[in-house]
Amino acid sequence: MAMNIILMGPPGAGKGTQAKKIIQEFAIPHISTGDMFREAIKKGTPLGVLAKSYIDKGDLVPDDVTIGLVKERLSQDDCQKGYLLDGFPRTLKQAEALEGLTKEIGREIALCLNIDVNKEELIRRISGRRVCKNCGAPYHIETAKPKVAGVCDICGGPLYQRADDNVEALETRLTHYEHDTKPLLDFYQKRNLLILLDGEGGSEKLFAEISRLLNEVRDD
Ligand code: AMP
Protein backbone atom coordinates (compact mmCIF):
# COMPACT_ATOMS: atom_id res chain seq x y z
CA MET A 1 0.00 0.00 0.00
CA ALA A 2 1.24 3.51 -0.70
CA MET A 3 2.38 5.37 2.40
CA ASN A 4 -0.31 8.04 2.39
CA ILE A 5 -0.10 9.25 5.96
CA ILE A 6 -1.70 11.96 8.09
CA LEU A 7 0.15 13.25 11.15
CA MET A 8 -2.19 14.95 13.63
CA GLY A 9 -1.93 16.39 17.12
CA PRO A 10 -2.10 19.69 19.00
CA PRO A 11 0.53 22.40 18.47
CA GLY A 12 3.69 21.33 20.28
CA ALA A 13 2.93 17.61 20.17
CA GLY A 14 6.06 17.01 18.10
CA LYS A 15 4.56 16.66 14.61
CA GLY A 16 7.34 18.67 12.97
CA THR A 17 10.11 16.69 14.68
CA GLN A 18 8.56 13.35 13.79
CA ALA A 19 7.77 14.50 10.25
CA LYS A 20 11.43 15.32 9.62
CA LYS A 21 12.47 11.82 10.76
CA ILE A 22 9.70 10.09 8.78
CA ILE A 23 10.47 11.76 5.46
CA GLN A 24 14.15 10.97 5.88
CA GLU A 25 13.58 7.30 6.64
CA PHE A 26 10.71 6.62 4.25
CA ALA A 27 11.55 9.04 1.44
CA ILE A 28 8.08 10.52 0.99
CA PRO A 29 7.27 14.22 0.49
CA HIS A 30 6.41 16.28 3.55
CA ILE A 31 3.27 18.35 3.04
CA SER A 32 3.00 20.79 5.92
CA THR A 33 0.36 23.47 5.38
CA GLY A 34 1.96 25.54 8.16
CA ASP A 35 5.33 25.44 6.32
CA MET A 36 3.62 26.28 3.02
CA PHE A 37 1.96 29.31 4.58
CA ARG A 38 5.20 30.44 6.26
CA GLU A 39 6.99 30.14 2.92
CA ALA A 40 4.30 32.29 1.25
CA ILE A 41 4.61 34.85 4.06
CA LYS A 42 8.39 34.98 3.61
CA LYS A 43 7.96 35.60 -0.12
CA GLY A 44 5.23 38.18 0.46
CA THR A 45 2.76 36.58 -1.97
CA PRO A 46 -1.00 37.41 -1.79
CA LEU A 47 -1.52 34.00 -0.13
CA GLY A 48 1.14 34.90 2.43
CA VAL A 49 -0.45 38.25 3.24
CA LEU A 50 -3.83 36.60 3.72
CA ALA A 51 -2.45 33.68 5.77
CA LYS A 52 -0.42 35.96 8.06
CA SER A 53 -3.53 37.82 9.19
CA TYR A 54 -4.89 34.54 10.60
CA ILE A 55 -1.72 32.77 11.68
CA ASP A 56 -0.31 35.56 13.86
CA LYS A 57 -3.50 35.51 15.96
CA GLY A 58 -3.51 31.73 16.19
CA ASP A 59 -6.61 31.44 14.01
CA LEU A 60 -7.12 28.93 11.23
CA VAL A 61 -6.66 30.01 7.62
CA PRO A 62 -10.05 29.63 5.83
CA ASP A 63 -10.89 26.13 4.60
CA ASP A 64 -11.29 26.97 0.91
CA VAL A 65 -7.79 28.51 0.76
CA THR A 66 -6.15 25.65 2.64
CA ILE A 67 -7.98 22.92 0.75
CA GLY A 68 -7.03 24.50 -2.59
CA LEU A 69 -3.39 24.55 -1.60
CA VAL A 70 -3.32 20.88 -0.57
CA LYS A 71 -5.32 19.79 -3.61
CA GLU A 72 -2.72 21.25 -5.91
CA ARG A 73 0.20 19.79 -3.94
CA LEU A 74 -1.21 16.26 -3.59
CA SER A 75 -1.81 16.01 -7.31
CA GLN A 76 1.88 16.45 -8.08
CA ASP A 77 3.92 13.49 -9.34
CA ASP A 78 6.14 13.13 -6.28
CA CYS A 79 3.11 12.14 -4.18
CA GLN A 80 2.47 9.04 -6.26
CA LYS A 81 4.38 6.68 -3.95
CA GLY A 82 3.15 8.26 -0.75
CA TYR A 83 3.03 11.50 1.19
CA LEU A 84 3.05 12.78 4.74
CA LEU A 85 0.38 15.35 5.59
CA ASP A 86 1.39 17.40 8.63
CA GLY A 87 -1.11 19.89 10.06
CA PHE A 88 -3.79 19.06 7.49
CA PRO A 89 -6.67 18.33 7.84
CA ARG A 90 -7.58 20.50 10.84
CA THR A 91 -11.35 20.80 10.34
CA LEU A 92 -14.14 18.41 9.39
CA LYS A 93 -14.63 20.27 6.12
CA GLN A 94 -10.94 19.74 5.27
CA ALA A 95 -11.15 16.04 6.18
CA GLU A 96 -14.19 15.55 3.96
CA ALA A 97 -12.56 17.42 1.07
CA LEU A 98 -9.40 15.36 1.51
CA GLU A 99 -11.37 12.14 1.43
CA GLY A 100 -13.07 13.16 -1.83
CA LEU A 101 -9.87 14.39 -3.42
CA THR A 102 -7.73 11.37 -2.51
CA LYS A 103 -10.41 9.01 -3.85
CA GLU A 104 -10.58 11.00 -7.06
CA ILE A 105 -6.83 10.83 -7.68
CA GLY A 106 -6.38 7.27 -6.31
CA ARG A 107 -4.18 8.36 -3.40
CA GLU A 108 -6.34 7.40 -0.43
CA ILE A 109 -5.21 7.74 3.18
CA ALA A 110 -3.61 4.61 4.64
CA LEU A 111 -3.14 5.77 8.23
CA CYS A 112 -3.87 8.70 10.52
CA LEU A 113 -1.38 9.04 13.39
CA ASN A 114 -2.46 11.28 16.26
CA ILE A 115 0.21 12.37 18.74
CA ASP A 116 -1.17 13.47 22.10
CA VAL A 117 0.51 15.49 24.86
CA ASN A 118 -1.00 17.17 27.96
CA LYS A 119 -1.69 20.91 27.90
CA GLU A 120 0.98 22.02 30.44
CA GLU A 121 3.65 20.21 28.47
CA LEU A 122 2.42 21.74 25.18
CA ILE A 123 2.71 25.23 26.68
CA ARG A 124 6.21 24.47 27.97
CA ARG A 125 7.32 23.14 24.60
CA ILE A 126 5.82 25.94 22.51
CA SER A 127 7.00 28.81 24.67
CA GLY A 128 10.61 27.55 24.48
CA ARG A 129 10.51 26.51 20.84
CA ARG A 130 12.95 27.95 18.32
CA VAL A 131 12.93 27.09 14.63
CA CYS A 132 15.54 27.35 11.88
CA LYS A 133 14.64 30.11 9.43
CA ASN A 134 16.20 28.19 6.55
CA CYS A 135 15.27 24.54 6.97
CA GLY A 136 12.54 24.63 9.65
CA ALA A 137 14.37 22.27 12.04
CA PRO A 138 12.89 22.60 15.55
CA TYR A 139 14.85 23.30 18.77
CA HIS A 140 14.00 24.08 22.40
CA ILE A 141 15.79 26.57 24.62
CA GLU A 142 16.11 23.98 27.44
CA THR A 143 15.57 20.48 26.12
CA ALA A 144 16.85 20.56 22.53
CA LYS A 145 19.57 23.20 22.39
CA PRO A 146 21.62 23.65 19.22
CA LYS A 147 25.39 23.07 19.49
CA VAL A 148 25.98 26.79 18.89
CA ALA A 149 23.41 29.18 20.41
CA GLY A 150 21.04 30.61 17.79
CA VAL A 151 22.47 28.52 14.92
CA CYS A 152 20.92 25.46 13.27
CA ASP A 153 22.99 22.26 13.66
CA ILE A 154 21.80 20.97 10.31
CA CYS A 155 22.17 23.87 7.89
CA GLY A 156 23.78 26.70 9.89
CA GLY A 157 20.71 28.91 9.46
CA PRO A 158 19.56 31.39 12.14
CA LEU A 159 17.05 30.24 14.77
CA TYR A 160 13.98 32.34 15.54
CA GLN A 161 10.79 32.23 17.58
CA ARG A 162 7.62 31.88 15.49
CA ALA A 163 5.29 34.89 15.72
CA ASP A 164 2.44 32.57 16.74
CA ASP A 165 4.47 30.85 19.50
CA ASN A 166 3.33 33.33 22.16
CA VAL A 167 0.92 32.72 25.05
CA GLU A 168 -2.15 34.48 23.55
CA ALA A 169 -1.88 32.91 20.09
CA LEU A 170 -1.16 29.55 21.68
CA GLU A 171 -4.37 29.68 23.75
CA THR A 172 -6.33 30.38 20.56
CA ARG A 173 -4.54 27.56 18.71
CA LEU A 174 -5.29 25.10 21.51
CA THR A 175 -8.95 26.15 21.49
CA HIS A 176 -9.12 25.60 17.72
CA TYR A 177 -7.54 22.20 18.22
CA GLU A 178 -10.18 21.24 20.82
CA HIS A 179 -13.15 22.58 18.84
CA ASP A 180 -12.20 22.08 15.21
CA THR A 181 -9.55 19.37 15.01
CA LYS A 182 -10.33 16.91 17.79
CA PRO A 183 -13.62 15.82 16.14
CA LEU A 184 -11.46 14.40 13.33
CA LEU A 185 -10.30 11.65 15.68
CA ASP A 186 -13.81 10.26 15.52
CA PHE A 187 -13.90 10.74 11.73
CA TYR A 188 -10.77 8.62 11.23
CA GLN A 189 -11.67 6.14 13.99
CA LYS A 190 -14.89 5.36 12.12
CA ARG A 191 -12.84 4.63 9.00
CA ASN A 192 -10.47 2.39 10.96
CA LEU A 193 -7.50 4.56 10.08
CA LEU A 194 -6.71 6.09 13.46
CA ILE A 195 -3.72 5.27 15.64
CA LEU A 196 -3.32 7.10 18.97
CA LEU A 197 0.25 7.78 20.05
CA ASP A 198 1.64 9.02 23.36
CA GLY A 199 3.85 12.03 22.67
CA GLU A 200 5.14 12.41 26.21
CA GLY A 201 7.67 9.58 26.27
CA GLY A 202 10.47 11.19 24.26
CA SER A 203 10.93 11.68 20.54
CA GLU A 204 13.22 8.66 19.90
CA LYS A 205 10.77 6.24 21.48
CA LEU A 206 7.88 7.80 19.58
CA PHE A 207 9.73 7.57 16.29
CA ALA A 208 10.53 3.89 16.90
CA GLU A 209 6.80 3.23 17.30
CA ILE A 210 5.89 5.28 14.21
CA SER A 211 8.57 3.51 12.22
CA ARG A 212 7.18 0.13 13.19
CA LEU A 213 3.67 1.17 12.15
CA LEU A 214 4.78 2.61 8.84
CA ASN A 215 6.80 -0.48 8.00
CA GLU A 216 3.62 -2.50 8.45
CA VAL A 217 1.78 -0.25 5.99
CA ARG A 218 4.69 -0.42 3.55
CA ASP A 219 4.81 -4.21 3.67
CA ASP A 220 1.08 -4.67 3.10
P1 AMP B 1 1.52 24.67 12.09
O1 AMP B 1 2.87 24.97 11.58
O2 AMP B 1 0.95 23.37 11.58
O3 AMP B 1 1.41 24.77 13.59
O4 AMP B 1 0.55 25.80 11.50
C1 AMP B 1 0.74 27.15 11.81
C2 AMP B 1 -0.53 27.94 11.53
O5 AMP B 1 -0.84 27.86 10.13
C3 AMP B 1 -1.79 27.43 12.23
O6 AMP B 1 -1.90 27.91 13.57
C4 AMP B 1 -2.87 28.00 11.33
O7 AMP B 1 -3.02 29.39 11.52
C5 AMP B 1 -2.25 27.82 9.93
N1 AMP B 1 -2.61 26.49 9.39
C6 AMP B 1 -1.76 25.45 9.17
N2 AMP B 1 -2.42 24.39 8.69
C7 AMP B 1 -3.73 24.77 8.61
C8 AMP B 1 -4.92 24.10 8.22
N3 AMP B 1 -4.91 22.82 7.82
N4 AMP B 1 -6.08 24.81 8.25
C9 AMP B 1 -6.11 26.10 8.64
N5 AMP B 1 -5.02 26.78 9.05
C10 AMP B 1 -3.84 26.12 9.05
Side-chain angles (χ1 to χ4, degrees):
M1 193 187 277
M3 290 219 295
N4 302 335
I5 313 295
I6 297 174
L7 197 54
M8 275 201 335
K15 298 189 296 295
T17 302
Q18 295 300 322
K20 291 234 153 23
K21 293 175 192 268
I22 294 169
I23 56 163
Q24 212 170 15
E25 174 136 345
F26 294 93
I28 51 175
H30 179 202
I31 305 178
S32 156
T33 39
D35 283 353
M36 289 160 99
F37 288 135
R38 280 185 288 275
E39 195 55 35
I41 291 171
K42 205 155 82 180
K43 288 186 181 149
T45 66
L47 171 70
V49 174
L50 176 88
K52 188 171 167 46
S53 65
Y54 293 93
I55 292 176
D56 283 358
K57 288 184 285 183
D59 281 327
L60 294 178
V61 178
D63 281 334
D64 53 343
V65 176
T66 312
I67 291 167
L69 197 67
V70 171
K71 191 169 180 175
E72 196 194 315
R73 183 64 188 90
L74 271 187
S75 309
Q76 290 171 13
D77 285 348
D78 64 338
C79 294
Q80 202 177 344
K81 292 210 177 108
Y83 52 81
L84 179 70
L85 280 169
D86 162 8
F88 183 94
R90 263 178 156 100
T91 65
L92 206 51
K93 204 171 154 202
Q94 292 178 11
E96 283 163 353
L98 178 67
E99 187 170 53
L101 162 72
T102 51
K103 267 200 184 120
E104 204 179 293
I105 61 175
R107 296 176 181 178
E108 291 170 73
I109 299 298
L111 214 55
C112 174
L113 305 174
N114 185 74
I115 308 176
D116 206 13
V117 170
N118 73 70
K119 191 175 168 184
E120 293 80 66
E121 174 65 8
L122 293 175
I123 293 170
R124 191 197 65 77
R125 289 185 186 182
I126 293 275
S127 50
R129 176 157 72 177
R130 297 292 181 273
V131 184
C132 174
K133 210 159 200 155
N134 281 349
C135 74
Y139 294 87
H140 189 277
I141 53 168
E142 283 160 7
T143 51
K145 293 181 187 172
K147 289 190 188 101
V148 179
V151 180
C152 178
D153 291 346
I154 300 164
C155 74
L159 306 188
Y160 79 113
Q161 182 170 34
R162 276 170 48 170
D164 58 345
D165 278 353
N166 61 70
V167 178
E168 301 90 78
L170 178 59
E171 276 299 331
T172 311
R173 287 158 73 199
L174 289 172
T175 305
H176 280 301
Y177 177 75
E178 285 294 321
H179 289 170
D180 302 308
T181 311
K182 246 191 169 169
L184 301 191
L185 298 183
D186 196 39
F187 181 93
Y188 288 110
Q189 176 71 64
K190 283 194 178 123
R191 285 152 179 80
N192 260 326
L193 296 173
L194 182 68
I195 306 243
L196 298 175
L197 297 165
D198 176 5
E200 292 175 18
S203 87
E204 293 306 320
K205 192 169 156 217
L206 179 58
F207 182 63
E209 174 66 0
I210 291 178
S211 233
R212 190 185 64 73
L213 291 162
L214 296 191
N215 273 313
E216 276 176 21
V217 173
R218 180 158 65 172
D219 295 338
D220 258 3

